[in-house]
């Protein structure tokens, strides 16, 4: 950035002035706890039931320090002050929009094809959306930095740019140089959110995460999640990584006890060194299965190219028309329906998304699930 970055200039004034909700538990968390109108007689669960040990009659820790301490060593940032925890990344998307965008006035920028929740949350918050499509030529799925810069200069009220890397549905990691160019764009009058929900599916050797850039750039927020590589979509834990000033604003704005005690005890366990190793070995297995799935799928008649870089735990596959010449939306939709309704295999139709003409997005399953998918997809593709 050539201009001096000023957080005060881009945050909603009511959020800057916010006096956050404080509970006694922010200051004291042990002793005889008579501060929060909990049920001092305990929960309705029997002692000895697996969950009763987690003090469920108490409100959860509002700050979740032990989880953040594990994240400090896992992601290599200087302190817990760089981390925010939310109810999935989805809560963080909404929170960031509420922090930076004045409803009816400010805008976000997205780069289609991209994850749908950025637009949904913007619409809920009455925030308009500027779209600068990715360069989709040959399934490149990379940023058009010049067009983004132009959009920024034409729309000074863009407060957030949402980038998804690796992208959903593109499965493609964005170039670090392009992300850097946007962070440093003199026309940028807001923050850049880099959604790294699928980052751990990339080879570690590619040094893929930009989380550590939070130390260098005052205007980056990286989002990660336990939903994908850690296999814990059900516990709803999303992670925001940014400089301590932005994290403080996020903490001020969140609901006081947003991360519940069950989630928090499971997340702490998931982030132990042993389980991080396990996550790494599972993501490697998924990579192996992905390669096998790709080589089987392209052999089916009616399948076109697998597009994108396949950096995540899914693939984006073109369904061709009956003459096998070009991608075909209607056929893709019909294959999608047949798979779900006759064969019990549910994939995602993405064939109407920009740059994803006639595509299905298919998550890598277990070896048995992938075998079934290939068999049933073959049947669904047969021309009647
Ligand atoms: C790119 C991307 N970001 C965020 C999410 C939501 O993640 P979470 O489960 O942490 O809310 C998803 C879920 O599919 C996703 O694909």
């Amino acid at each position: 950035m050539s201009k001096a970055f000023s957080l005060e200039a881009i945050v909603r004034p009511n959020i800057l002035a916010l006096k956050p909700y404080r509970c006694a538990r922010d200051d004291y968390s042990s002793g005889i706890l008579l501060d929060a109108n909990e049920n001092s007689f305990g929960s309705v669960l029997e002692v000895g039931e697996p969950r009763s040990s987690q003090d469920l009659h108490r409100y959860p820790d509002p700050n979740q320090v032990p989880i953040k301490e594990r994240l400090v060593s896992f992601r290599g940032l200087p302190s817990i002050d760089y981390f925010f925890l939310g109810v999935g990344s989805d809560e963080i998307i909404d929170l960031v929009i509420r922090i930076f965008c004045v409803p009816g006035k400010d805008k976000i920028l997205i780069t289609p094809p991209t994850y749908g929740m950025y637009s949904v949350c913007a619409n809920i918050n009455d925030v308009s959306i500027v779209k600068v499509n990715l360069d989709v030529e040959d399934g490149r799925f990379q940023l058009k930095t010049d067009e983004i810069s132009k959009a920024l200069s034409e729309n000074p009220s863009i407060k957030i740019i949402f980038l998804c890397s690796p992208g959903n549905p593109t499965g493609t990691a964005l170039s670090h140089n392009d992300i850097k160019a946007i962070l440093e764009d003199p026309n940028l009058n807001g923050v850049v959110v880099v959604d790294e929900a699928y980052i751990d599916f990339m080879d570690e050797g590619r040094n893929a995460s930009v989380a550590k850039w939070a130390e260098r750039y005052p205007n980056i927020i990286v989002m990660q999640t336990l939903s994908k590589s850690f296999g814990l979509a059900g516990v709803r834990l999303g992670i925001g990584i940014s400089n301590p000033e932005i994290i403080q604003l996020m903490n001020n704005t969140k609901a006081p006890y947003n991360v519940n005690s069950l989630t928090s005890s499971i997340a702490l366990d998931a982030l132990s060194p042993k389980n991080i190793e396990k996550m790494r070995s599972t993501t490697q297995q998924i990579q192996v299965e992905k390669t096998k799935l790709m080589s089987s799928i392209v052999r089916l008649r009616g399948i076109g190219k697998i597009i994108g870089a396949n950096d995540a735990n899914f693939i984006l596959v073109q369904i061709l028309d009956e003459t096998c010449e070009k991608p075909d939306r209607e056929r893709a939709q019909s294959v999608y329906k047949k798979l779900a309704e006759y064969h019990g295999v549910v994939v995602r139709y993405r064939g109407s998304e920009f740059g994803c003409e006639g595509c299905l997005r298919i998550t890598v399953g277990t070896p048995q699930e992938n075998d079934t998918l290939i068999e049933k997809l073959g049947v669904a593709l047969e021309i009647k």
Side-chain angles (χ1 to χ4, degrees):
M1 277 162 303
S2 52
K3 285 185 295 200
F5 176 79
S6 159
L7 196 56
E8 286 73 25
I10 60 168
V11 173
R12 281 171 70 187
N14 58 318
I15 300 288
L16 270 182
L18 191 68
K19 226 170 147 270
Y21 178 84
R22 277 192 69 79
C23 47
R25 227 52 72 82
D26 283 317
D27 304 318
Y28 312 103
S29 58
S30 59
I32 297 177
L33 297 172
L34 302 176
D35 56 299
N37 304 340
E38 296 149 333
N39 187 330
S40 304
F41 286 67
S43 89
V44 294
L45 300 175
E46 294 290 328
V47 174
E49 280 187 31
R51 289 161 300 179
S52 62
S53 57
Q54 286 155 0
D55 275 348
L56 293 181
H57 63 304
R58 298 294 177 199
Y59 281 107
D61 174 357
N63 302 311
Q64 301 292 348
V65 172
I67 297 177
K68 292 176 186 168
E69 282 170 347
R70 290 211 151 154
L71 287 168
V72 165
S73 60
F74 176 41
R75 292 305 189 192
L77 278 136
S79 78
I80 63 166
D81 299 336
Y82 284 78
F83 292 94
F84 173 83
L85 301 180
V87 183
S89 328
D90 286 339
E91 185 193 19
I92 302 179
I93 296 167
D94 180 67
L95 196 66
V96 171
I97 292 178
R98 285 192 286 131
I99 290 173
F100 290 99
C101 297
V102 176
K105 177 171 172 266
D106 290 328
K107 299 176 182 167
I108 66 162
L109 185 149
I110 61 167
T111 61
T114 192
Y115 182 48
M117 279 302 284
Y118 313 139
S119 299
V120 171
C121 291
N123 288 330
I124 290 169
N125 287 292
D126 190 18
V127 165
S128 45
I129 302 160
V130 175
K131 295 180 183 174
V132 178
N133 291 334
L134 293 176
D135 170 7
V136 298
E137 194 71 30
D138 298 325
R140 276 170 35 78
F141 295 127
Q142 292 298 317
L143 298 168
K144 291 180 170 174
T145 49
D146 291 347
E147 286 191 22
I148 292 175
S149 185
K150 186 162 166 279
L152 290 173
S153 71
E154 289 166 0
N155 296 279
S157 54
I158 292 174
K159 290 293 172 58
I160 309 168
I161 301 180
F162 282 99
L163 306 179
C164 194
S165 179
N168 174 7
T170 68
T172 304
L174 299 173
S175 134
H176 280 196
N177 280 342
D178 289 350
I179 300 176
K180 216 177 268 177
I182 293 172
L183 285 163
E184 295 176 0
D185 192 312
N187 294 314
L188 177 62
N189 188 28
V191 294
V192 178
V193 174
V194 184
D195 184 346
E196 293 190 339
Y198 298 96
I199 200 72
D200 295 320
F201 294 108
M202 295 189 69
D203 299 332
E204 272 181 84
R206 288 170 65 186
N207 195 14
S209 176
V210 295
K212 280 173 75 65
W213 293 12
E215 284 183 81
R216 264 194 286 151
Y217 288 99
N219 57 348
I220 190 171
I221 300 172
V222 177
M223 292 195 308
Q224 298 176 346
T225 178
L226 295 195
S227 296
K228 311 292 180 182
S229 56
F230 284 85
L232 288 170
V235 313
R236 312 303 300 127
L237 194 90
I239 301 155
I241 304 168
S242 187
N243 70 76
E245 285 88 350
I246 289 182
I247 294 296
Q248 185 61 56
L249 289 170
M250 294 169 86
N251 283 325
N252 293 352
T253 312
K254 75 176 176 76
Y257 309 107
N258 62 334
V259 176
N260 74 70
S261 304
L262 299 173
T263 294
S264 127
S265 84
I266 292 169
L268 189 62
D269 195 11
L271 289 163
S272 69
K274 175 180 105 240
N275 285 328
I276 289 174
E277 271 316 298
K278 209 161 154 195
M279 177 277 281
R280 296 213 193 285
S281 106
T282 314
T283 52
Q284 275 164 20
Q285 272 175 268
I286 290 173
Q287 297 234 31
V288 171
E289 287 310 314
K290 181 168 62 183
T291 310
K292 284 199 225 157
L293 175 66
M294 284 165 41
S295 64
S296 311
I297 222 165
V298 288
R299 287 196 213 115
L300 297 175
R301 185 173 186 280
I303 293 289
K305 285 190 200 139
I306 296 172
I307 56 173
N310 310 303
D311 289 323
N313 64 334
F314 55 83
I315 58 174
L316 193 59
V317 187
Q318 291 171 336
I319 306 295
L320 301 179
D321 63 9
E322 294 186 357
T323 57
C324 290
E325 274 168 16
K326 55 178 188 340
D328 183 334
R329 275 188 204 193
E330 272 175 34
R331 186 136 188 264
Q333 205 153 25
S334 130
V335 167
Y336 158 75
K337 280 192 141 193
K338 276 192 212 162
L339 270 180
E341 290 171 19
Y342 303 145
H343 305 293
V345 178
V346 184
V347 299
R348 192 89 199 265
Y349 171 72
R350 297 280 82 184
S352 312
E353 301 283 309
F354 180 76
C356 307
E357 183 72 26
C359 282
L360 299 180
R361 192 193 69 195
I362 303 177
T363 308
V364 179
T366 61
Q368 295 85 334
E369 287 172 336
N370 296 336
D371 289 346
T372 307
L373 165 83
I374 292 292
E375 183 200 331
K376 304 299 183 190
L377 184 57
V379 177
L381 282 164
E382 277 168 17
I383 298 158
K384 295 269 155 30

